[in-house]
Amino acid sequence: MAEQPIKVVVGKPGLDGHDRGAKVVARALVEAGMEVVYLGLQQTPEAIVAAALEEDADVIGLSILSGAHMPHFRRVKELMDQQGLGDRLLTGGGIIPTKDQETLSGMGVGKLFGPGDDPQMIVAYIREWVKEHPRA
Amino acid sequence: MKKSIPEDLWKAFFQGDRLACARLITIAENRKERVPELRDALANRLGRAVRIGITGPPGVGKSTLTSLLALGMADAGHKVGIVAVDPSSPFSGGAFMGDRVRMEGLVGDQRIYMRSLASREGHGGLSPSTPDVADVLEGFGMDRILIETVGVGQAELDVLECTDLVVLVLQPSTGDAIQTMKAGIIEAADLIVVNKADLPGKDVVLNSLRFLFGMGLTKKIRPVPPVMTTSAMQNEGLPELVAELEKLASVLLDSGRHADLRRARMEKEIREAISQCLWTAYDGLTGATKCIQEKARELVEKAESPYPFIRESCSRVRVQALDKEASNGHGA
Ligand SMILES: Nc1nc2c(ncn2[C@@H]2O[C@H](COP(=O)(O)OP(=O)(O)O)[C@@H](O)[C@H]2O)c(=O)[nH]1
Ligand SMILES: [Mg+2]
């Protein structure tokens, strides 16, 4: 049987106004054979996690350029754990200092990417992660 | 038959756990071999939901309308499942699914469950798993299931196969599109909505429709569908649309047509499952796949008809062979 496609929910929490980066990444994921549910701009963490739950997503990807990455990642991760999605990958991108990345990583957030990173790195990372974390 | 869906997943599902519902939908989508198990467990909960296809060209506002319809129906006391299908790329197999962008109003609403589906091997039409996903949603307690299609090509006709009612959505600039629409979908629609009535030009569409129906170009097997106008953007015409759909739903249920449609779908499911099952058994017993390959090469080379071979193959089938197979424990 063919492997089932990886399902990714992509959202942009917070107030910053454009989603070019998120769409470029979404496109790269689709071209890599993934099924991407795109949520659009200005999503609350609650809305993102509720969508990921209904979609039974393997991965949640957040794009945050506003600088408010800490509270958003923290809150999304918290909601994921509360709602039984602790076994899914939370990843994303933005301008996130190494120190913050380490803190988030300590909370169980996955690898994060910067605006200059090749989307193929994200594709490869997600594929690898999903392979190493098969769900029951 | 060996059970493969864990007992506690069913238990959570029947207690109304949304994550359990999400996981069962994933099984319906990804594990075709487990569909019989789903059907067994859900059968006694199915039968009352009305499945409504929302179709029409891309961009006319299907997602926006679907979301408002769901809210309207929920306010009328229904539990609403939404399945929104988006096309899979034939090249990568991936899919970009953007319908949720227009459904923000549903976030956190426990009366509604929304799921995006990629069309996969439905080749740009509906995902083949759509009816099974709808079954899971109905088993979860949804009594109105809205199925938003991709809106082009085969999807328009596929949706007729798995729904009880079809709403065709158009917009002011789709006057010409009506001519190029897949034959049949306009006649098959139970309700036509001209959305974006806030934009100029709705009379052109309304006139094309009037012309089409007035000329008697459509088959007279069914009454001319009601045509309504809405503006999903300005939330206009929605209560009327919900009321009209609910009226159609009651007629459907009360007239027995709902039961007829369900019976017809069940007949088709049984026929298809039996042909699949018989073919698998036949192929296993006779090695037909390989044999057909060789035969086809030979027939094409000699420019001969395949029918003597087909007739001979069929005449050799005896149902006893399958009986024996079944008593050996291979039956489903
Ligand atoms: N002007 C206007 N725009 C609308 C209306 N309904 C939807 N739209 C817009 O039309 C675009 C496509 O809507 P969407 O629901 O995604 O259409 P779909 O592709 O048929 O699902 C979006 O930009 C909507 O905001 C309406 O009633 N009036
Ligand atoms: Mg849509």
Side-chain angles (χ1 to χ4, degrees):
Chain A
M1 191 188 66
E3 231 169 271
Q4 65 197 56
I6 296 171
K7 196 161 190 181
V8 187
V9 163
V10 173
K12 249 190 102 58
L15 296 177
D16 54 319
H18 77 80
D19 58 354
R20 230 171 305 135
K23 279 195 167 150
V24 168
V25 172
R27 183 152 304 281
L29 300 180
V30 171
E31 277 165 14
M34 300 183 198
E35 294 180 346
V36 178
V37 177
Y38 184 71
L39 301 181
L41 294 169
Q42 306 195 351
Q43 299 288 310
T44 63
E46 285 74 11
I48 292 169
V49 176
L53 187 142
E54 286 188 343
E55 298 289 353
D56 198 22
D58 303 294
V59 181
I60 297 182
L62 303 183
S63 160
I64 306 176
L65 296 168
S66 63
H69 47 267
M70 289 309 275
H72 285 131
F73 273 106
R74 186 179 292 134
R75 181 72 183 135
V76 168
K77 181 66 185 145
E78 198 175 276
L79 290 167
M80 285 171 69
D81 291 340
Q82 278 169 18
Q83 296 180 27
L85 300 176
D87 58 345
R88 323 295 165 108
L89 171 63
L90 173 59
T91 178
I95 304 163
I96 304 168
T98 319
K99 197 170 123 291
D100 289 355
Q101 290 195 27
E102 281 164 7
T103 313
L104 290 169
S105 165
M107 292 164 31
V109 175
K111 211 159 145 181
L112 303 174
F113 298 84
D117 288 335
D118 183 345
Q120 289 314 314
M121 281 170 60
I122 308 180
V123 168
Y125 171 64
I126 290 179
R127 277 200 180 130
E128 191 65 19
W129 191 95
V130 170
K131 200 155 89 195
E132 282 172 7
H133 299 78
R135 288 200 350 244
Chain B
M1 190 180 64
K2 200 167 131 272
K3 292 242 183 339
S4 53
I5 301 171
E7 214 48 60
D8 50 348
L9 181 55
W10 280 121
K11 205 166 149 230
F13 175 79
F14 289 130
Q15 285 169 354
D17 182 292
R18 290 170 85 83
L19 182 54
C21 181
R23 292 184 54 203
L24 284 174
I25 293 175
T26 304
I27 290 172
E29 222 191 330
N30 290 335
R31 312 296 293 272
K32 207 168 176 23
E33 76 283 3
R34 294 191 182 175
V35 166
E37 201 181 332
L38 287 174
R39 296 284 281 113
D40 291 349
L42 294 172
N44 65 357
R45 294 177 178 251
L46 304 191
R48 285 159 299 275
V50 178
R51 302 180 182 199
I52 303 172
I54 315 282
T55 191
V60 294
K62 294 185 294 300
S63 296
T64 319
L65 267 179
T66 298
S67 146
L68 294 171
L69 273 177
L71 288 169
M73 290 177 160
D75 288 343
H78 296 290
K79 292 188 78 188
V80 189
I82 301 175
V83 181
V85 187
D86 286 289
S88 295
S89 157
F91 306 107
S92 72
F96 183 88
M97 307 193 272
D99 301 303
R100 277 188 182 268
V101 176
R102 308 284 162 222
M103 299 194 181
E104 284 193 312
L106 307 182
V107 165
D109 196 323
Q110 301 294 307
R111 305 169 300 175
I112 299 167
Y113 189 110
M114 143 74 186
R115 178 75 167 225
S116 316
L117 286 189
S119 66
R120 300 210 179 158
E121 62 276 29
H123 299 297
L126 280 188
S127 162
S129 66
T130 307
D132 305 316
V133 171
D135 281 354
V136 175
L137 286 171
E138 185 174 349
F140 196 58
M142 281 33 205
D143 64 338
R144 292 289 180 270
I145 316 246
L146 305 177
I147 301 175
E148 180 191 338
T149 75
V150 171
V152 280
Q154 195 54 39
E156 293 180 315
L157 297 180
D158 283 353
V159 73
L160 299 176
E161 296 253 306
C162 63
T163 55
D164 305 309
L165 291 172
V166 172
V167 178
L168 173 65
V169 187
L170 302 170
Q171 66 178 27
S173 52
T174 43
D176 291 343
I178 290 177
Q179 262 90 72
T180 61
M181 223 160 248
K182 262 238 161 24
I185 191 67
I186 293 195
E187 292 133 291
D190 298 281
L191 179 61
I192 297 180
V193 177
V194 179
N195 186 40
K196 305 198 188 182
D198 53 294
L199 299 180
K202 69 168 189 277
D203 290 336
V204 178
V205 190
L206 290 175
N207 285 334
S208 319
L209 288 171
R210 250 175 241 132
F211 179 73
L212 197 71
F213 290 115
M215 289 287 288
L217 295 179
T218 58
K219 291 197 199 93
K220 282 272 168 13
I221 42 170
R222 309 213 301 162
V224 172
V227 178
M228 309 191 69
T229 55
T230 58
S231 168
M233 192 82 118
Q234 300 179 350
N235 207 347
E236 264 166 37
L238 265 300
E240 293 81 356
L241 178 57
V242 172
E244 185 65 35
L245 265 175
E246 282 303 321
K247 202 173 90 195
L248 290 173
S250 332
V251 170
L252 190 79
L253 290 163
D254 297 343
S255 66
R257 184 168 154 74
H258 184 257
D260 289 346
L261 288 168
R262 287 182 46 79
R263 220 167 11 244
R265 286 202 293 268
M266 172 92 70
E267 278 173 25
K268 182 162 176 281
E269 179 181 3
I270 294 172
R271 272 197 310 272
E272 286 174 0
I274 290 180
S275 359
Q276 184 60 49
C277 180
L278 289 184
W279 166 259
T280 308
Y282 175 73
D283 195 22
L285 284 172
T286 64
T289 299
K290 193 150 168 286
C291 176
I292 290 170
Q293 265 169 12
E294 283 158 13
K295 197 71 191 174
R297 184 181 309 128
E298 181 192 321
L299 292 171
V300 168
E301 256 167 37
K302 295 189 185 159
E304 279 178 15
S305 162
Y307 279 90
F309 171 71
I310 293 171
R311 274 190 291 269
E312 195 215 301
S313 303
C314 292
S315 71
R316 272 193 292 141
V317 173
R318 282 201 211 95
V319 178
Q320 280 103 313
L322 295 166
D323 274 347
K324 208 163 127 236
E325 186 74 354
S327 61
N328 285 344
H330 291 277

